C-alpha cells in the first residue's frame, strides 16, 4: 500500500511514519519508524516539520481527523523540555553513528586480515607437494596469525565469512573450518596449544582434494556414483600427502583420515 501524506497534527502513537527531511536533519535514529509516544510527536512539531508520510500497512492506528486538537495547554511540553529531549536524542544518535563507524573500521581491518590469510592458505597448498616442510612452517605461522588477528573479533569474522560465499573453494573452505574450529575450541575452554593443534588439522583436513579432479570437486549438480567414490578417496590421498612430510603432526593425520566418519559408525573411509 502506498504511503499517505498527512499533517503533523494528525499524528498519534501507533502510526508508522516517514519524515520528509534528511537523516541528519532530525534527532531520530531512522527516517521511518513507528510513533510510540506523544513526546515524539511534540519533537517532530518542534523541529518545524509540517507533514509526514504514513504507511498504513505497518501502522497500528489511524490518523487523527484533520484539525483535531490532541493536547491541552496543561500537558504540552515547554520549549525548554523539548529542547532537552531533542538534545538527548541527538546525543544518542551521535553515539550510534560513532559505534557504526567503529564497527565498519573493524570490518575493513578484519577483511584485510582474512584476505591475507586466504592468500597464505593458497600459498601453503601450492607448496605442499614441492616444498612440504616449508608449507608446514607457513601453516603454523598462519595459525598464529589467525589467533592474533581473526579471533580477536569473533562477530566481525563470522559476518565476513558468511558474506564471502563467492570465494568458496578448497582454500576458503579450509580456512573457514579452521577459524570456526578455533572459536568452538576456545569456547570449550581448550588450552591454547590444543586450539592451535586443532586449527592446524582443520587447515589440512581436505588436503587430499588437490588430487581429485577439479571438475568433481567444484561440480554444482549431483555427483554420479563413480564421482562420489572418487571424491571419497580424498581422505586416502590426504594421508598419502601427509605421510611424505616428516614434520606433519599425527593429530592432523587423524583428522584427515577420519573427518568424514560419524559417531554411529557410518561415514567413510572405514564404513
Amino acid at each position: 500500500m502506498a504511503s499517505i501524506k498527512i499533517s503533523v497534527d494528525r499524528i498519534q502513537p501507533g502510526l508508522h511514519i516517514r519524515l520528509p527531511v534528511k537523516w541528519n536533519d532530525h534527532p531520530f535514529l531512522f527516517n521511518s519508524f513507528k510513533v510510540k509516544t506523544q513526546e515524539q510527536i511534540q519533537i517532530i512539531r518542534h523541529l518545524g516539520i509540517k507533514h509526514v508520510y504514513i504507511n498504513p500497512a505497518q501502522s497500528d492506528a489511524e490518523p487523527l481527523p484533520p484539525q483535531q486538537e490532541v493536547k491541552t495547554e496543561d500537558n504540552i511540553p515547554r520549549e525548554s523540555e523539548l529542547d532537552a529531549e531533542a538534545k538527548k536524542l541527538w546525543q544518542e544518535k551521535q553515539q550510534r553513528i560513532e559505534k557504526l563507524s567503529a564497527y565498519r573500521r573493524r570490518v575493513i581491518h578484519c577483511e584485510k586480515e582474512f584476505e591475507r590469510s586466504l592468500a597464505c592458505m593458497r600459498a601453503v597448498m601450492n607448496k605442499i607437494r614441492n616444498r612440504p616442510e616449508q608449507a608446514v612452517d607457513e601453516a603454523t605461522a598462519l595459525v598464529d596469525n589467525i589467533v592474533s588477528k581473526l579471533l580477536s573479533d569473533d562477530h566481525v569474522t563470522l559476518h565476513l565469512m558468511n558474506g564471502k560465499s563467492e570465494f568458496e573453494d578448497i582454500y576458503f573452505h579450509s580456512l573457514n573450518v579452521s577459524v570456526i574450529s578455533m572459536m568452538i575450541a576456545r569456547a570449550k575452554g581448550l588450552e591454547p596449544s590444543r586450539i592451535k593443534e586443532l586449527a592446524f588439522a582443520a587447515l589440512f583436513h581436505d588436503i587430499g582434494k588437490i588430487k581429485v579432479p577439479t571438475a568433481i570437486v567444484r561440480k554444482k549438480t549431483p555427483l554420479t556414483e563413480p564421482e562420489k567414490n572418487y571424491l571419497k578417496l580424498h581422505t586416502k590421498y590426504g594421508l598419502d600427502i601427509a605421510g611424505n612430510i616428516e614434520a606433519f603432526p599425527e593429530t592432523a593425520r587423524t583428522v584427515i583420515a577420519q573427518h568424514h566418519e560419524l559417531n554411529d559408525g557410518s561415514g567413510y573411509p572405514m564404513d
Side-chain angles (χ1 to χ4, degrees):
M1 185 180 295
S3 60
I4 301 173
K5 181 178 179 180
I6 65 171
S7 56
V8 294
D9 63 339
R10 301 184 62 191
I11 304 174
Q12 69 167 326
L15 287 177
H16 193 282
I17 68 170
R18 175 170 59 84
L19 301 177
V21 294
K22 295 180 180 179
W23 183 75
N24 56 352
D25 288 339
H26 64 79
F28 300 101
L29 283 178
F30 305 101
N31 271 20
S32 298
F33 58 93
K34 185 176 292 185
V35 178
K36 295 181 179 180
T37 66
Q38 288 290 346
E39 192 171 54
Q40 290 177 319
I41 299 172
Q42 291 300 328
I43 291 175
I44 292 171
R45 293 180 177 181
H46 186 62
L47 292 172
I49 295 174
K50 302 301 182 182
H51 67 271
V52 299
Y53 295 89
I54 66 168
N55 185 330
Q58 294 182 274
S59 297
D60 298 327
E62 295 290 332
L64 295 170
Q67 305 300 318
Q68 178 170 325
E69 190 64 41
V70 296
K71 282 186 174 291
T72 66
E73 292 297 328
D74 292 336
N75 59 14
I76 294 179
R78 294 191 299 272
E79 291 291 308
S80 59
E81 294 175 345
L82 290 173
D83 285 336
E85 183 60 27
K87 181 179 180 180
K88 179 182 176 183
L89 290 176
W90 276 115
Q91 290 173 340
E92 292 175 351
K93 187 172 185 175
Q94 186 60 38
Q95 290 172 357
R96 179 69 174 268
I97 293 171
E98 292 172 357
K99 185 176 180 180
L100 288 174
S101 296
Y103 181 78
R104 290 191 187 101
R105 289 193 295 270
R106 285 158 49 203
V107 168
I108 291 171
H109 174 74
C110 190
E111 185 171 30
K112 291 179 179 178
E113 292 299 332
F114 192 89
E115 294 292 351
R116 194 172 80 83
S117 296
L118 193 55
C120 289
M121 185 63 198
R122 290 193 175 99
V124 167
M125 287 294 192
N126 290 333
K127 290 178 182 177
I128 202 70
R129 291 179 177 176
N130 301 323
R131 288 173 284 175
E133 298 297 335
Q134 184 179 350
V136 170
D137 291 340
E138 290 187 10
T140 302
L142 175 56
V143 168
D144 290 337
N145 183 71
I146 292 173
V147 171
S148 62
K149 302 293 180 60
L150 293 182
L151 288 194
S152 63
D153 205 332
D154 289 7
H155 297 297
V156 174
T157 301
L158 284 172
H159 168 77
L160 202 58
M161 290 160 64
N162 287 334
K164 288 189 172 293
S165 59
E166 69 271 19
F167 297 112
E168 184 69 48
D169 57 20
I170 182 177
Y171 313 109
F172 179 79
H173 171 69
S174 297
L175 181 60
N176 272 6
V177 172
S178 183
V179 172
I180 293 174
S181 296
M182 294 175 82
M183 289 179 179
I184 294 173
R186 191 170 63 177
K188 290 291 186 179
L190 269 64
E191 293 293 325
S193 60
R194 293 288 289 170
I195 293 176
K196 291 183 179 181
E197 193 176 8
L198 174 62
F200 185 95
L203 280 177
F204 287 102
H205 77 283
D206 265 346
I207 190 175
K209 285 184 178 179
I210 65 176
K211 288 192 173 183
V212 177
T214 302
I216 294 178
V217 175
R218 296 187 178 181
K219 188 176 180 181
K220 301 299 182 182
T221 56
L223 298 177
T224 63
E225 283 303 315
E227 288 172 335
K228 289 179 182 178
N229 292 332
Y230 203 150
L231 184 61
K232 287 180 179 181
L233 289 174
H234 78 275
T235 56
K236 176 184 179 301
Y237 294 153
L239 280 179
D240 291 343
I241 294 172
N244 293 323
I245 305 173
E246 185 177 348
F248 207 88
E250 189 62 35
T251 50
R253 299 185 194 200
T254 301
V255 170
I256 291 172
Q258 300 181 11
H259 70 278
H260 281 289
E261 296 293 344
L262 304 178
N263 288 333
D264 63 2
S266 61
Y268 64 89
M270 296 185 289
D271 56 354

